[in-house]
Amino acid sequence: MRSATGIVDPRRLLGVLAVALAVGGTASALASASSGPPSGGGGLAPTGSAPSKTPPPPGKHARGAWLRSVTITEYWPAPESWFVGRLVSAPGLTGKHRIDWLYSAEGVSMQGEGIGLDGRTYHIDALGSGGWITAAGKPTNPSKGWAGGPPFWRAGGYWRTRAGAVTFPLQAGGWFAGVGRRYVPLQGVSFAPGPSLPLRPLQSIAVDPSVIPLGSRVYIPAYRHDGHGGWFTAQDTGGAIVGHRVDVYRSPPASAGDPGQYLTGQRVFVIKPGSH
């Protein structure tokens, strides 16, 4: 999705933004394409220094249970450098940031948090009103399975073209999908510096609390060589994380075109809080 110069082609950004249809949103961050097709292994590199002694896998008498048929995906904070919109002021922030990073279905509004051009972490503090719209400017709702179409943008913070479609000004000049004729504000939205949750790459996961209680220690064999022995803590949730689904929090990949790991039919070992 990125050119040799590292700049996203705005004509192809629509495809990147639309992948949020597949994954919904997590409380702190959503995989930018974590429920996409398998990436062929991915080859995760350890994040940070590995502990001096990685914890062993669960033993025969460990106080937990294996959960089968688990789908494992990945999510990360959205890097502002992947976006192409003009820098704008945002409620709750002192500096300016790229408009599509703030309000699009691939930006902070959906991901929950992101990494700014300054290298600092920011998160959405209040979602505001209105929900989501498609690229054509039609309402769509996650509670109805995005029946209106893939989410493209928040229901505000964009311009409408003459035909009513969503567009926004580009940092390089011009418009994303035609000249904007009317600006649509978004009421009640605000952002804030810092992370929304104290998540740790390759150590935190998002889960369905009805299946894996928050605070559980979870062993994922597929990640046993990730530098932390394959052990995670269930710290996050998300509208798309339902049933036997685990979303692994990680650092952003090298490019927006990398969907991250997508594994099906996995076993994970769950040690519930109080059983450690």
Side-chain angles (χ1 to χ4, degrees):
M1 301 303 295
R2 291 161 68 83
S3 70
T5 61
I7 304 299
V8 179
D9 182 346
R11 294 170 298 177
R12 302 179 67 189
L13 184 62
L14 174 59
V16 179
L17 297 173
V19 298
L21 166 64
V23 293
T26 58
S28 70
L30 175 77
S32 61
S34 62
S35 64
S39 59
L44 288 177
T47 299
S49 58
S52 57
K53 183 179 180 181
T54 56
K60 183 184 298 185
H61 303 293
R63 296 183 177 180
W66 287 97
L67 185 65
R68 300 175 184 273
S69 301
V70 177
T71 297
I72 299 174
T73 53
E74 297 179 341
Y75 69 114
W76 49 82
E80 188 175 2
S81 59
W82 290 359
F83 294 79
V84 297
R86 183 181 298 172
L87 297 172
V88 298
S89 298
L93 302 181
T94 56
K96 292 186 176 182
H97 296 276
R98 292 177 177 174
I99 189 170
D100 47 338
W101 181 70
L102 294 167
Y103 300 112
S104 78
E106 272 298 292
V108 177
S109 282
M110 177 71 88
Q111 308 286 65
E113 66 181 44
I115 301 172
L117 295 174
D118 56 8
R120 298 177 179 177
T121 300
Y122 298 88
H123 69 275
I124 189 162
D125 194 43
L127 284 172
S129 59
W132 294 90
I133 58 171
T134 67
K138 305 297 183 181
T140 190
N141 192 321
S143 66
K144 298 180 179 179
W146 302 113
F152 181 76
W153 205 272
R154 295 298 308 284
Y158 66 91
W159 281 258
R160 285 194 181 276
T161 65
R162 188 183 299 275
V166 177
T167 191
F168 57 92
L170 301 172
Q171 183 66 17
W175 293 83
F176 174 74
V179 176
R181 300 295 182 180
R182 180 172 65 87
Y183 179 71
V184 180
L186 180 61
Q187 302 298 324
V189 67
S190 65
F191 301 86
S196 54
L197 288 174
L199 303 178
R200 296 169 296 171
L202 296 180
Q203 295 181 70
S204 301
I205 54 176
V207 299
D208 180 344
S210 68
V211 177
I212 301 176
L214 290 175
S216 296
R217 291 282 291 155
V218 179
Y219 174 70
I220 305 178
Y223 285 76
R224 63 189 179 276
H225 300 305
D226 66 1
H228 302 282
W231 286 97
F232 297 81
T233 302
Q235 294 180 275
D236 202 359
T237 62
I241 312 304
V242 178
H244 289 205
R245 167 92 178 263
V246 168
D247 219 8
V248 173
Y249 181 71
R250 57 164 287 183
S251 300
S255 73
D258 184 346
Q261 295 267 40
Y262 181 86
L263 306 171
T264 60
Q266 301 295 301
R267 292 196 315 158
V268 304
F269 192 80
V270 179
I271 303 176
K272 296 180 180 180
S275 302
H276 298 183

